[in-house]
Amino acid sequence: MNALPVIAVTSGEPAGIGPELCLRLAERPLGGGAPAARLVVLADRELLAERARALGVSVVLRDWSPGNAPLPGVLDVIHVPLARPSSPGRLDAANSPYVLQLLDRALAGCRSGEFAAMVTAPVHKGVINDAGIAFTGHTEYLAEKTATPRVVMMLAGGNLRVALATTHLPLRDVPDAITPALLEEVLRILHADMGRKYGFAHPRILVAGLNPHAGEGGYLGREEIEVITPVLDRLRGEGMALIGPLPADTMFTPPMLAQGDCVLAMYHDQGLTALKYATFGHGINVTLGLPIIRTSVDHGTALELAGTGRADPGSLFVAVEQAIEMAQRAGNC
């Protein structure tokens, strides 16, 4: 039993659907019937108990101990206290430090070897900033906490994997942000982690252009000619399998996707619109380049669904399964 990897799951924004999704982990189906990992949820224990009672969820909440064996209907919990009681759908900035404490505890456990990976339920960026805490997202927060100079956000679902050269930037800032240095760093991280986390010895990466029609030979923009292509040519010279720059409007067609193992989009909506259309509800977010394994759901806090019992746990289940597979591949088990 102790050979099983331990996966920490943070329950996210307490007013959102994260806590009730975490409760559903106790009923998560196990392939073949044997547990592949031990799960531990980081949350306020009474919050979970209240949400379980309100939704009629039958679950046993058990204090986490490294000696705990996985049991059906039992959820292991590391208690982190809320600042104030939380109600479904009602944001409270006073609980924003609690949300970050969940992340800090999971991260500390991953770095110490207590946990093999962390999986994150959604947080609400707005209310964290309302509390006076500058926060742009899990990806950037974990990068700062681990002193990682560059991380890459990738969303995955089914056989589709889409990484981003830039993440949460206003659209007007994107062209200036895509420099040769940034693009090279992102491609090196993506290439390396497609091997470490997904097992591709020689990953094929489809690279989008920035402009319509990938610049149309310079008539619709010169970033492809002056920035993207020179970087791709240089890294191809080192043996990387890079295809592009490709027009983004045709890159996500089945014949094109069949030529690659993952996609690199230049900005958030260019890549994630297609990914979420194809996989929403069962896609996940993976942070590449970190010294730890981190996966996440690909949706938000869904305040309007909180407390209704209608939230789909599919993305969280997939994020957990992917974290387990990555931990096993990395030898953390």
Side-chain angles (χ1 to χ4, degrees):
M1 186 272 296
N2 286 330
L4 295 175
V6 180
I7 309 299
V9 184
T10 61
S11 53
E13 167 54 49
I17 62 174
E20 59 203 77
L21 294 181
C22 288
L23 289 171
R24 301 286 298 277
L25 290 172
E27 63 187 45
R28 169 177 145 267
L30 300 171
R38 292 174 288 161
L39 306 184
V40 55
V41 171
L42 282 64
D44 184 291
R45 182 178 176 132
E46 185 55 32
L47 170 69
L48 294 177
E50 287 178 358
R51 203 66 59 90
R53 287 192 294 269
L55 296 173
V57 175
S58 179
V59 60
V60 175
L61 302 178
R62 179 175 62 175
D63 290 334
W64 164 249
S65 168
N68 287 357
L71 292 173
V74 175
L75 194 67
D76 286 310
V77 178
I78 291 177
H79 173 65
V80 179
L82 283 164
R84 284 207 294 241
S86 178
S87 298
R90 298 181 181 179
L91 295 171
D92 186 343
N95 283 323
S96 293
Y98 157 84
V99 173
L100 300 185
Q101 288 166 17
L102 300 177
L103 297 178
D104 292 343
R105 175 65 180 87
L107 177 58
C110 287
R111 302 192 78 181
S112 71
E114 179 185 10
F115 309 137
M118 64 185 287
V119 178
T120 55
V123 299
H124 194 286
K125 300 180 185 68
V127 75
I128 295 174
N129 281 277
D130 287 345
I133 304 168
F135 184 87
T136 55
H138 279 110
T139 301
E140 296 84 355
Y141 185 81
L142 294 173
E144 180 181 355
K145 287 289 182 176
T146 58
T148 304
R150 177 78 61 200
V151 294
V152 176
M153 177 189 291
M154 183 171 78
L155 271 75
N159 293 321
L160 185 57
R161 305 174 189 88
V162 180
L164 302 177
T166 62
T167 54
H168 300 119
L169 283 181
L171 193 55
R172 68 173 64 248
D173 296 340
V174 169
D176 290 341
I178 299 174
T179 64
L182 175 135
L183 193 56
E184 180 173 338
E185 280 187 90
V186 167
L187 282 165
R188 289 190 185 280
I189 291 168
L190 179 56
H191 182 271
D193 268 4
M194 283 295 292
R196 284 191 292 258
K197 291 183 166 62
Y198 286 96
F200 290 96
H202 303 287
R204 302 167 299 163
I205 303 174
L206 305 178
V207 181
L210 173 66
N211 297 294
H213 301 178
E216 195 75 65
Y219 289 101
L220 296 177
R222 297 193 57 82
E223 285 84 2
E224 288 78 10
I225 294 171
E226 297 175 359
V227 178
I228 300 174
T229 296
V231 171
L232 299 188
D233 287 343
R234 184 164 61 253
L235 295 180
R236 287 188 191 108
E238 298 181 12
M240 290 191 193
L242 306 175
I243 304 167
L246 301 169
D249 61 345
T250 56
M251 184 173 61
F252 290 99
T253 59
M256 186 58 68
L257 290 174
Q259 299 180 39
D261 301 306
C262 64
V263 169
L264 178 65
M266 291 296 111
Y267 57 93
H268 188 278
D269 288 10
Q270 183 189 57
L272 299 194
T273 300
L275 185 286
K276 292 193 176 187
Y277 174 78
T279 69
F280 191 74
H282 292 86
I284 66 166
N285 187 335
V286 183
T287 306
L288 307 180
L290 289 173
I292 65 163
I293 294 168
R294 179 259 171 167
T295 67
S296 181
V297 297
D298 72 342
H299 56 72
T301 52
L303 298 172
E304 71 282 1
L305 290 179
T308 68
R310 300 199 307 268
D312 184 352
S315 182
L316 183 62
F317 287 0
V318 175
V320 167
E321 295 300 332
Q322 288 287 299
I324 293 170
E325 290 179 15
M326 291 177 188
Q328 290 172 335
R329 188 171 289 116
N332 288 335
C333 59

